[in-house]
Each structure stands twice: as C-alpha cells, then as structure tokens.
Amino acid sequence: MDKKIYTEMENQMNEVLVNLKSEFTTIRAGRASAALLDKIYVDYYGSPTPVNQVASVSVPEPKMILIQPWDLKMLGVIEKAILKSDLGLTPNNDGKVIRLILPELTAERRQELVKLSKKKAEEAKVSIRNIRREYNDVLKKMEKNREISEDDLKRSQEEIQKITDKYIDEVEKILANKEKDIMEV
C-alpha cells in the first residue's frame, strides 16, 4: 500500500489540530494573552484588518492587555471593535493607548468556557472522522477497481483507524489542557 496516502491523511488531520490550538488561544482563561485579539478585525482604510496589524499589542501584567495603535485615529475604531466582540471586556481608552483589564472569571463563566472548548474539540473530532471516511472511500474505490486486494483494503483500513485514534487522543489531550487552564484560579 502506498504510504503517500497515510502521509496526506496525517497532514490533513494535523491541520485540524493546528486549527483547534488556534481556536483555543482565543478562548480566554485566567491570564491575559495577546492572542485573545486574533479574531478581532477593524476597518482600516476600507479593508478588515486584524488589530495586531494596526497596533502593537502587549501584555505588561498577567491581567492586562495593552493596545497601542500606530495611528491614533484608530483608537476609537479598535475600541468599538472590542466592544462588539464576544470577549466581554470593556476597553479603557486614555487617548494614547487602550487597556483591557481582564476581570476574574466567575465559576459560571468558567463553565461556559469549558463548554465552548468541548464544542470546539468535538468539531475537531468530527473533522478528523470525516478525513478518515474520505480516505476509506478512496481505498474502497481502489479495491473496486482492482488496484488493491481485499486483504490490502482491510490492512489499510486498520492502519487508517490507528492513525485516526492517535489524532482523536491528541484532541482529548489538548482539550484536557485547555480545561485545566480555564479552571485554574
């Protein structure tokens, strides 16, 4: 059986993990992170632009994000974008910089964030299973066209299942770390 198929499949599954980790960086835990702003876009001369491309974003303290726009006209635009976002944070604008103070998470909010994390992890698992199905279909076609034998089909499907299980386990580990991060006080 051609190993290229397994490599392609693993690359696709790995991309799902990369996307999940990226999604998890935007779910805030107890500490401030510049990545919280990754999904916030502002209108910059007619095109939607990520905040980190129109301002320097830093984390001077564990509970604070500091946003310093390169163009002071962007202060209000960035402030409005943060207020519209689902971050639930109120920006403090002093005319030069925007400070985002992260309040302590309530137990209820932590549970909501854990639930959101589980939903994202489940979506990742579904994507991984869809990739498995896609490659199993390719193998079934190959067997139907007599490109591989029935025994090769069975062996290949077992190998695909092992790879799928490995990636599903990885999703579980990533989720467990994120839950721990959210629940830390």
Side-chain angles (χ1 to χ4, degrees):
M1 188 70 235
D2 192 4
K3 298 284 183 220
K4 192 174 99 180
I5 287 179
Y6 302 135
T7 305
E8 285 175 16
M9 188 180 86
E10 285 206 59
N11 287 341
Q12 288 182 15
M13 289 182 174
N14 203 39
E15 191 64 34
V16 171
L17 293 182
V18 168
N19 289 337
L20 178 65
K21 289 174 184 173
S22 171
E23 287 281 331
F24 277 0
T25 61
T26 63
I27 297 175
R28 93 176 174 92
R31 290 177 298 284
S33 163
L36 285 176
L37 302 175
D38 285 354
K39 292 231 163 57
I40 297 181
Y41 285 76
V42 294
D43 181 35
Y44 189 63
Y45 295 105
S47 64
T49 309
V51 169
N52 63 5
Q53 290 183 17
V54 297
S56 62
V57 179
S58 60
V59 183
E61 298 172 24
K63 298 278 183 199
M64 181 195 299
I65 299 174
L66 193 67
I67 305 163
Q68 189 164 16
W70 297 312
D71 180 353
L72 285 181
K73 292 179 223 146
M74 292 304 296
L75 266 175
V77 178
I78 294 171
E79 191 174 13
K80 282 179 189 154
I82 292 168
L83 287 169
K84 279 188 204 171
S85 74
D86 61 357
L87 284 179
L89 298 174
T90 306
N92 297 327
N93 176 351
D94 71 2
K96 290 188 176 126
V97 296
I98 296 173
R99 287 181 180 78
L100 292 176
I101 309 295
L102 279 72
E104 283 298 319
L105 292 173
T106 63
E108 187 179 308
R109 181 68 178 144
R110 288 178 196 274
Q111 289 304 322
E112 286 174 21
L113 293 173
V114 166
K115 200 182 290 185
L116 177 64
S117 298
K118 285 181 179 177
K119 181 177 174 243
K120 301 269 184 212
E122 191 53 44
E123 289 168 2
K125 287 184 203 174
V126 168
S127 294
I128 289 170
R129 290 185 193 112
N130 285 340
I131 293 167
R132 173 191 62 193
R133 188 189 61 222
E134 183 183 312
Y135 280 88
N136 276 334
D137 289 348
V138 167
L139 290 170
K140 286 176 191 168
K141 269 188 198 155
M142 289 172 78
E143 193 253 346
K144 186 179 175 191
N145 295 338
R146 305 227 184 279
E147 295 173 43
I148 60 173
S149 69
E150 199 174 317
D151 288 344
D152 284 340
L153 173 65
K154 290 284 180 231
R155 269 193 298 276
S156 296
Q157 285 177 326
E158 287 171 10
E159 182 63 25
I160 283 176
Q161 188 57 49
K162 280 183 198 166
I163 293 169
T164 302
D165 291 343
K166 179 179 92 173
Y167 280 89
I168 295 285
D169 287 346
E170 192 60 33
V171 168
E172 288 294 332
K173 287 177 193 166
I174 294 168
L175 174 61
N177 287 338
K178 186 62 182 180
E179 279 186 55
K180 183 177 165 249
D181 195 28
I182 291 170
M183 297 311 281
E184 267 180 3
V185 180

